[in-house]
Amino acid sequence: MACVKLGSKSDAFQRQGQAWFCTTGLPSDIVVEVGEMSFHLHKFPLLSRSGVMERLIAEASEEGEEKCVIRLPDIPGRSKTFELIAKFCYGVKLELTASNVVYLRRASEHLEMTEEYGEGNLVTKTESFLNQVVLRNWKDSLKALQSCEDILPHADEIHITKRCIESLATKASTDPNLFGWPIMDHGGPMQSPGGSVLWNGISTGVRPKKASSDWWYEDVSSLRFPLYKRLISAMGTRGIKPEIIAGSLTFYARKYLPGLNRRQGIAESSTRLASATLGAPPSEEEQKDLLEEVDRLLPIQKGLVPTKFLFGLLRTAMIIRSSPSCISNLEKRIGMQLDEATLEDLLMPSFSYSTETLYNVDCVQQILKHFLAMDQTTGGASPCSVDDGQLIGSPSASLTPVTMVAKLIDGYLAEVAPDINLKLPKFEALAAAVPDYARPLDDGLYRAIDIYLKSHPWLAESDREQLCRLMDCQKLSLEACTHAAQNERLPLRIIVQVLFFEQLQLRTSIAGCFLVSDNLDGSRQLRSGLGASGEGGWATAVRENQVLKVGMDNMRMRVSELEKECSNMRQEIEKLGRVKGSSTWGSVSKKLGFRMKSQMCSAQEGSVSNQSKGSGKTEKVKVKDRHGKHRKNSSPER
């Protein structure tokens, strides 16, 4: 720490209780009262250095008092600062440091200790020390700025606060490796001229580590927030990158908002608490003000702040009941980068007494709303397309942000579905908010719907059908179709749709296999003319063809089973009496919500078209009887 000693006389002051006495041998003729401390001094040393003391002594002498008494209630730094000033007036050695120079500079200005009252007076000495020593050094500038916190209005009057902030902002915006500030100021190891680290004066050959862009985060976090805010604003005008400023704000918030550290690991949390000497935790009102100010200062740009940190801010804002505008701003920030969130981030408990649900579904819906609005504004990515039940695009292709968010929301719906207090309209609203093109497959949505139906068995049949309309049966995988076909919780209409599209997918797959087989047969003539190496390739092709034929035979068996099941279901539906007159299977399928292609179930179409009118009686149909052999070959319920 830089310091300068002024004067040459030995210490001639002694303290007795709440009074200071000068031990020069002469009786004191003036008493200066500063707060609760009394200084028994002499008039001449004081009036020869201070214009204010000269006038006050003159006024007291005119009153004819035997012993002059002067009160200085407004002196910056109170009794500790005046003690140093009195010693300077008496010529006692005075040590100037970065911690006391601000008090002395402001007090000397207040007492008019200028060159008019003596050469090398205290104003000149402290000003020179500030400019030539303190403001040239990072650590000393920071200590001087910290000392401004107690006398902020007085320090602003003589622009010390501004000068310290500008000094720190300039150093933070400059590459520290050019000047070695982190090494000098952080108590790093000694360096040789060549740059290698010295240990007890002996070169170790180890090169010193270069300082990263966040080397100043911990230092400035020791400032109180009003000064820290001014420093961050000054750094922004100096051209410091927004991501660096956002990193400093993140560090500061994590240090003074205890709620942000609740989900950290034990090692990370203990390290941060050890490095941050917080003392008493801030009150709830202080935390609220700090969080709202951090939200205002954070740059509005995607990716500058970790998504997990933003969720921590939002969770803390809800706990301490921050302003609605602050919560809304945080929801917008999260919405900008929702594709970077995890399921754990979304699972925010409901902290409101008016909400019965376990998790805050409304908040997640607002975040999703902001994300979709931003995605539409930026144009988003090309939506996924589905043609005849076949997903376009390879599974290894990178997912677009909107597809990632759709998958995230489906996972969230599956997590909140078991909550019996979650109303159907709220569940449906969140599920329907995801655009249809964002879901290449509806397996995740089907899983969430199935969990909701299982946890809410009292739902009416109409509500079940309405809920199941959220998913597209054409976008279910074969595994999901197999599970849905034997799912007793699904309405009959949905099961029929699932069976139809499962059969359609199988037929499309068989058609593709036939196409591959034809291509292999057509290439035999070309391969037969090849040499020894070609014979090996032909043998491989024959084996592949055999494997394909086995797969085709299995598919034919599966299609046959589905056709039988389809025929049984037609008969059961006609028993229900829902189809009257000379209705055909095509009219039934139209009522069920899907189209029947001419090539599907061709073996039964002729017989169904000639069937007579069904009876008007309604009979219950068990799902067990409806599925027949299909249930035996299907996978167990998930």
Side-chain angles (χ1 to χ4, degrees):
M1 179 177 62
C3 63
V4 172
K5 294 184 178 180
L6 305 177
S8 58
K9 295 183 179 180
S10 60
D11 194 350
F13 286 81
Q14 291 183 356
R15 179 176 177 176
Q16 298 179 5
Q18 294 297 104
W20 280 95
F21 295 90
C22 181
T23 59
T24 58
L26 298 175
S28 63
D29 53 4
I30 183 174
V31 178
V32 181
E33 295 181 353
V34 181
E36 298 178 354
M37 191 68 67
S38 299
F39 294 86
H40 298 263
L41 308 173
H42 303 86
K43 295 179 181 179
F44 181 75
L46 298 179
L47 59 86
S48 63
R49 287 288 188 177
S50 170
V52 172
M53 295 300 296
E54 181 183 25
R55 289 194 299 272
L56 292 176
I57 290 173
E59 292 174 1
S61 299
E62 291 177 358
E63 295 178 0
E65 295 182 3
E66 184 175 336
K67 195 168 188 177
C68 180
V69 179
I70 296 176
R71 294 177 177 84
L72 298 175
D74 300 328
I75 187 169
R78 312 287 291 176
S79 59
K80 290 184 179 181
T81 301
F82 187 78
E83 176 190 345
L84 297 176
I85 291 176
K87 291 180 179 180
F88 174 78
C89 292
Y90 277 84
V92 178
K93 289 182 179 180
L94 176 62
E95 184 178 9
L96 289 179
T97 65
S99 300
N100 64 22
V101 68
V102 175
Y103 295 103
L104 290 172
R105 175 66 181 86
R106 182 62 188 93
S108 61
E109 186 81 16
H110 178 74
L111 295 175
E112 298 180 10
M113 301 179 70
T114 61
E115 295 297 299
E116 182 181 352
Y117 297 93
E119 185 178 355
N121 212 344
L122 193 55
V123 170
T124 303
K125 295 290 185 182
T126 53
E127 186 67 24
S128 176
F129 183 73
L130 274 171
N131 293 329
Q132 298 180 10
V133 179
V134 174
L135 298 180
R136 293 185 178 183
N137 184 278
W138 168 268
K139 277 291 187 181
D140 289 340
S141 298
L142 185 62
K143 288 182 179 180
L145 184 59
Q146 289 173 332
S147 63
C148 292
E149 294 176 337
D150 297 330
I151 56 169
L152 195 55
H154 301 289
D156 286 339
E157 290 178 3
I158 53 178
H159 308 293
I160 295 181
T161 308
K162 181 180 179 181
R163 290 152 64 189
C164 291
I165 288 176
E166 290 180 350
S167 172
L168 292 172
T170 302
K171 291 176 175 59
S173 61
T174 309
D175 186 0
N177 297 304
L178 298 177
F179 303 95
W181 287 325
I183 295 176
M184 288 192 310
D185 298 332
H186 291 198
M190 296 174 58
Q191 282 186 282
S192 67
S196 60
V197 178
L198 299 180
W199 186 79
N200 285 348
I202 302 175
S203 176
T204 62
V206 179
R207 305 293 296 183
K209 293 183 179 180
K210 290 187 176 181
S212 58
S213 58
D214 60 352
W215 61 269
W216 50 271
Y217 286 3
E218 186 170 356
D219 288 341
V220 301
S221 67
S222 59
L223 295 171
R224 295 177 187 173
F225 191 77
L227 282 181
Y228 172 81
K229 179 181 177 180
R230 291 172 60 176
L231 177 59
I232 288 296
S233 300
M235 288 180 174
T237 60
R238 289 281 178 178
I240 296 182
K241 295 180 180 180
E243 55 266 26
I244 297 179
I245 292 179
S248 177
L249 286 165
T250 301
F251 188 95
Y252 194 93
R254 283 175 173 165
K255 183 174 181 179
Y256 293 102
L257 293 175
L260 295 180
N261 300 321
R262 291 177 180 175
R263 290 200 172 188
Q264 291 180 347
I266 299 176
E268 182 182 356
S269 180
S270 60
T271 302
R272 190 172 301 281
L273 291 176
S275 61
T277 54
L278 296 177
S283 64
E284 183 174 308
E285 192 65 28
E286 291 174 340
Q287 293 184 50
K288 184 187 302 184
D289 294 339
L290 173 59
L291 193 150
E292 293 177 357
E293 287 293 335
V294 168
D295 173 60
R296 295 189 190 100
L297 290 174
L298 279 174
I300 303 178
Q301 187 175 340
K302 179 180 179 180
L304 293 184
V305 182
T307 307
K308 190 173 293 293
F309 171 74
L310 291 177
F311 272 104
L313 283 181
L314 179 58
R315 192 180 299 106
T316 305
M318 293 177 178
I319 294 175
I320 62 180
R321 295 178 179 83
S322 296
S323 63
S325 60
C326 176
I327 294 177
S328 178
N329 288 337
L330 291 173
E331 290 174 347
K332 291 179 181 178
R333 291 181 185 275
I334 296 174
M336 293 176 62
Q337 52 195 66
L338 182 58
D339 54 302
E340 301 175 1
T342 62
L343 180 58
E344 182 185 7
D345 296 331
L346 290 182
L347 295 175
M348 294 180 293
S350 294
F351 298 106
S352 175
Y353 295 106
S354 60
T355 305
E356 297 180 353
T357 56
L358 181 61
Y359 295 106
N360 196 334
V361 181
D362 295 332
C363 179
V364 174
Q365 188 168 358
Q366 287 297 319
I367 293 173
L368 177 61
K369 177 182 176 182
H370 294 309
F371 170 81
L372 295 175
M374 183 205 67
D375 186 69
Q376 293 177 359
T377 302
T378 57
S382 59
C384 302
S385 60
V386 175
D387 185 17
D388 292 335
Q390 296 298 320
L391 179 64
I392 303 300
S394 60
S396 60
S398 60
L399 298 177
T400 62
V402 68
T403 305
M404 295 172 64
V405 169
K407 184 178 180 181
L408 181 65
I409 295 300
D410 289 346
Y412 178 78
L413 288 170
E415 288 293 329
V416 302
D419 187 359
I420 60 175
N421 293 321
L422 180 60
K423 304 302 181 183
L424 180 60
K426 186 172 292 188
F427 183 89
E428 288 180 327
L430 182 57
V434 179
D436 182 66
Y437 66 83
R439 291 188 176 105
L441 289 175
D442 275 9
D443 288 13
L445 180 59
Y446 165 66
R447 176 173 175 266
I449 291 175
D450 186 37
I451 295 175
Y452 189 86
L453 292 176
K454 183 177 181 180
S455 303
H456 301 76
W458 54 83
L459 287 179
E461 187 71 13
S462 59
D463 292 337
R464 291 171 178 267
E465 288 189 3
Q466 179 181 347
L467 178 60
C468 291
R469 289 194 193 103
L470 293 172
M471 63 179 179
D472 186 354
C473 295
Q474 298 185 68
K475 294 165 64 176
L476 293 178
S477 65
L478 285 174
E479 293 78 5
C481 286
T482 303
H483 183 276
Q486 57 181 344
N487 192 344
E488 298 181 359
R489 290 185 286 271
L490 297 181
L492 176 63
R493 184 189 300 269
I494 302 301
I495 294 179
V496 173
Q497 291 184 18
V498 168
L499 288 172
F500 170 74
F501 288 117
E502 183 184 16
Q503 189 182 52
L504 180 60
Q505 290 187 44
L506 287 172
R507 285 186 176 273
T508 306
S509 300
I510 292 176
C513 291
F514 276 123
L515 180 60
V516 173
S517 177
D518 293 341
N519 291 336
L520 290 174
D521 292 338
S523 63
R524 290 179 181 178
Q525 298 298 328
L526 294 176
R527 299 194 179 193
S528 62
L530 297 178
S533 60
E535 292 177 0
W538 169 243
T540 303
V542 171
R543 287 195 298 270
E544 292 177 353
N545 196 10
Q546 291 175 350
V547 172
L548 287 174
K549 287 183 178 180
V550 172
M552 289 163 50
D553 293 339
N554 293 334
M555 288 186 184
R556 288 193 186 98
M557 294 176 60
R558 175 67 178 149
V559 170
S560 177
E561 292 175 1
L562 288 173
E563 288 177 347
K564 292 179 181 179
E565 188 169 346
C566 188
S567 177
N568 294 333
M569 292 188 66
R570 290 178 201 161
Q571 297 175 8
E572 292 175 356
I573 291 174
E574 292 197 4
K575 288 180 181 180
L576 294 174
R578 295 181 182 176
V579 182
K580 296 183 179 181
S582 59
S583 61
T584 63
W585 172 247
S587 62
V588 175
S589 63
K590 183 177 295 184
K591 290 183 180 181
L592 292 176
F594 56 84
R595 297 178 180 179
M596 174 62 74
K597 294 187 178 181
S598 60
Q599 69 271 23
M600 301 302 300
C601 302
S602 56
Q604 288 81 4
E605 286 181 356
S607 60
V608 174
S609 60
N610 298 323
Q611 288 180 352
S612 60
K613 299 180 181 180
S615 61
K617 298 181 181 180
T618 302
E619 298 177 3
K620 295 185 179 179
V621 180
K622 295 185 179 179
V623 178
K624 181 190 308 182
D625 299 330
R626 217 171 40 227
H627 299 330
K629 188 176 180 181
H630 168 61
R631 175 185 296 272
K632 300 179 181 178
N633 297 329
S634 301
S635 59
E637 180 181 328
R638 293 182 180 176

